[in-house]
Amino acid sequence: MTVWHSARVSDTPDPDLSLAAPNLGGAVGIQAFDALSRRLRPALMRYFQRRTQSASDAEELVQELFLRLLRRADLFAIQNLDGYVFEAAANLARDRVRRQQARGGRHFDLDDIDAATDEPSPEQVVDGRKRLDLMLAALDSLPPRARTIVILRRFESLTYGQIADRLGISVSAVEKHMVRSMSALRAALATTAD
């Protein structure tokens, strides 16, 4: 099994990765995947670490997620790739919880299980997807700098100071962008939900 690390120094593709990921389309695809991995790995590690409380479990989940992404033939054709990656991460975290619960040694009487509460209804799934689409559309409607600040704060959990340093602006400018952006997102979601 190939272990994917984001701190790759060489520009030459890993031959093991080429064998494990025939869907990436050669060296260009491997370099694009490497760039995606380097960019999203820190946020994914934080995401999984908050859910597992373990750095090693988080690392394992990040590795599993990247292996799943490698198998996706049309990965770079996905319009909102970051959103897809984090949705896949959420699914992977839920799957892990279910597996742990199944292995936890708890036994249930089948008569005590309410199947309707175990899985969301089709209506809930459709409603959730609509809300996600609305949120992504509202996020896409923000000016580029404001959108970047929201993503860094909400998805990568950076502090206002870290965002200010990264973007070369003041902390108060970051705060103003966040206030305006969150207000605009709430307004966009409120008008589309009616």
Side-chain angles (χ1 to χ4, degrees):
M1 177 172 114
T2 301
V3 177
W4 189 263
H5 293 283
S6 64
R8 296 168 63 89
V9 178
S10 171
D11 287 333
T12 59
D14 182 347
D16 291 337
L17 181 59
S18 300
L19 295 174
N23 296 329
L24 291 181
V28 172
I30 292 170
Q31 289 173 348
F33 190 83
D34 189 39
L36 176 75
S37 170
R38 275 183 276 157
R39 185 168 55 82
L40 294 182
R41 175 177 276 280
L44 289 167
M45 281 295 294
R46 285 190 300 275
Y47 176 82
F48 285 127
Q49 220 166 345
R50 280 193 304 266
R51 280 148 185 81
T52 64
Q53 305 299 318
S54 164
S56 62
D57 288 347
E59 178 65 34
E60 183 180 313
L61 287 165
V62 170
Q63 295 295 332
E64 186 174 341
L65 176 62
F66 282 126
L67 284 174
R68 286 184 181 187
L69 293 174
L70 282 170
R71 294 182 191 118
R72 177 85 193 227
D74 61 343
L75 180 66
F76 292 105
I78 296 172
Q79 192 170 25
N80 181 2
L81 184 55
D82 288 11
Y84 174 81
V85 170
F86 278 94
E87 188 174 337
N91 290 337
L92 187 59
R94 278 191 293 273
D95 290 347
R96 184 172 193 273
V97 168
R98 286 184 189 132
R99 281 193 310 267
Q100 285 177 336
Q101 288 174 343
R103 291 184 200 148
R106 290 187 263 166
H107 299 285
F108 297 99
D109 185 0
L110 289 177
D111 295 331
D112 293 339
I113 297 175
D114 182 9
T117 61
D118 288 346
E119 294 293 325
S121 70
E123 294 83 13
Q124 289 172 319
V125 171
V126 169
D127 184 53
R129 289 187 192 265
K130 282 182 185 175
R131 290 174 50 95
L132 177 63
D133 290 342
L134 291 173
M135 182 58 147
L136 292 175
L139 189 60
D140 285 341
S141 71
L142 293 175
R145 176 163 279 177
R147 182 175 47 245
T148 299
I149 289 170
V150 170
I151 289 170
L152 291 173
R153 178 70 184 131
R154 296 295 181 184
F155 295 104
E156 295 191 23
S157 302
L158 296 183
T159 65
Y160 287 168
Q162 291 169 324
I163 295 169
D165 289 344
R166 184 179 282 190
L167 299 179
I169 59 177
S170 69
V171 172
S172 68
V174 171
E175 291 170 346
K176 288 175 186 174
H177 278 295
M178 274 300 289
V179 168
R180 284 189 211 125
S181 298
M182 296 312 290
S183 177
L185 289 174
R186 277 189 212 98
L189 290 175
T191 58
T192 53
D194 295 336

